[in-house]
Amino acid sequence: MTPPEAGRGIGSGEETTTFGFPRDTFRILHVSTGNVCRSPITERLTRHFVSQRLGVLGGGLIVESAGTWGHEGAPMEANAETVLAEFGADASGFVGRELLDEHVIMADLVLTATRDHRAQVISMGHSAGLRTFTLKEFTRLVKAIDPATLPPLEDGVVMRARALVRAAAALRGWLLAPTAEADEVYDPYGAPLPFFRSVGDEIHQALDPVVTALTGVPARA
């Protein structure tokens, strides 16, 4: 297994094993199709919002992305970079990746843009079913979880994140989407900037309660 390239996640300087992987981490993997539009936006907004809440980068949380038909080595779409800049998020240094088995194996939580992406991840195996959700599905489940039932942030963001995923998986069969389209984030590839902005807003609204649940800190007013 080849370790992911350096710099893809939040945090640095973690204590590592002899294989070069951090000992106590929680990996969030965002998945879309080409890994040049939706999943890069979601990856970088997640990092940005976590650092806003906690004031620092780190704590063992790693955020990365890949595409089921990933444009390996490709830069992020220019409109996606513009959307991130408007949120104050950092788009620099991004490189597209094709989704590989090792990415799914190492992920503690996989958040996909659509139900088709979710199905593709789960079909890869690796016991991914209980930790793979569409982004909007995960948001819906997280909103139903009582924050008081999660470990406090003082116990570490990794422990809190693991508990959050277990709680969401337990609720999945009880809180279904009102419509099939409710769990989808549609592809803006090739679309004009206004459509990218609408997708960015959609992702932002879905991410906000997730990051709040992960960190225990609400967004700043």
Side-chain angles (χ1 to χ4, degrees):
M1 181 186 299
T2 304
E5 63 270 30
R8 288 304 299 256
I10 286 181
S12 59
E14 301 101 332
E15 182 183 6
T16 58
T17 68
T18 55
F19 296 100
F21 299 125
R23 292 183 185 276
D24 193 17
T25 59
F26 185 91
R27 288 181 178 270
I28 301 174
L29 176 67
H30 293 292
V31 175
S32 62
T33 303
N35 194 215
V36 292
C37 298
R38 289 168 291 181
S39 51
I41 291 173
T42 316
E43 172 195 320
R44 294 306 176 94
L45 284 183
T46 302
R47 296 191 197 181
H48 179 63
F49 295 146
V50 168
S51 63
Q52 279 187 328
R53 303 293 209 285
L54 300 181
V56 293
L57 300 179
L61 188 64
I62 296 172
V63 185
E64 50 197 356
S65 63
T68 55
W69 290 89
H71 300 178
E72 188 73 30
M76 191 185 310
E77 282 287 292
N79 283 343
E81 289 189 359
T82 299
V83 167
L84 287 171
E86 290 173 352
F87 278 106
D90 182 12
S92 65
F94 181 85
V95 178
R97 303 192 303 177
E98 181 178 357
L99 181 67
L100 302 176
D101 288 272
E102 66 191 55
H103 301 145
V104 177
I105 291 168
M106 295 177 65
D108 298 288
L109 171 62
V110 184
L111 297 176
T112 70
T114 69
R115 292 168 296 148
D116 282 347
H117 296 131
R118 181 184 64 193
Q120 289 179 67
V121 171
I122 293 173
S123 73
M124 295 171 71
H126 315 303
S127 303
L130 291 178
R131 52 195 166 91
T132 303
F133 310 78
T134 72
L135 171 62
K136 289 185 174 180
E137 174 191 22
F138 194 67
T139 301
R140 183 174 67 255
L141 298 172
V142 162
K143 286 180 175 179
I145 296 169
D146 182 355
T149 65
L150 299 173
L153 189 58
E154 290 76 12
D155 290 348
V157 69
V158 169
M159 183 178 294
R160 186 179 177 92
R162 288 175 180 161
L164 184 66
V165 172
R166 289 194 299 268
L171 286 173
R172 194 195 317 246
W174 298 93
L175 293 175
L176 303 179
T179 66
E181 292 73 25
D183 283 343
E184 307 283 290
V185 176
Y186 291 107
D187 193 355
Y189 185 74
L193 182 57
F195 189 73
F196 268 84
R197 286 186 173 128
S198 69
V199 169
D201 289 339
E202 198 175 346
I203 291 171
H204 170 217
Q205 291 173 24
L207 277 178
D208 182 70
V210 172
V211 175
T212 297
L214 279 172
T215 62
V217 180
R220 297 172 185 170

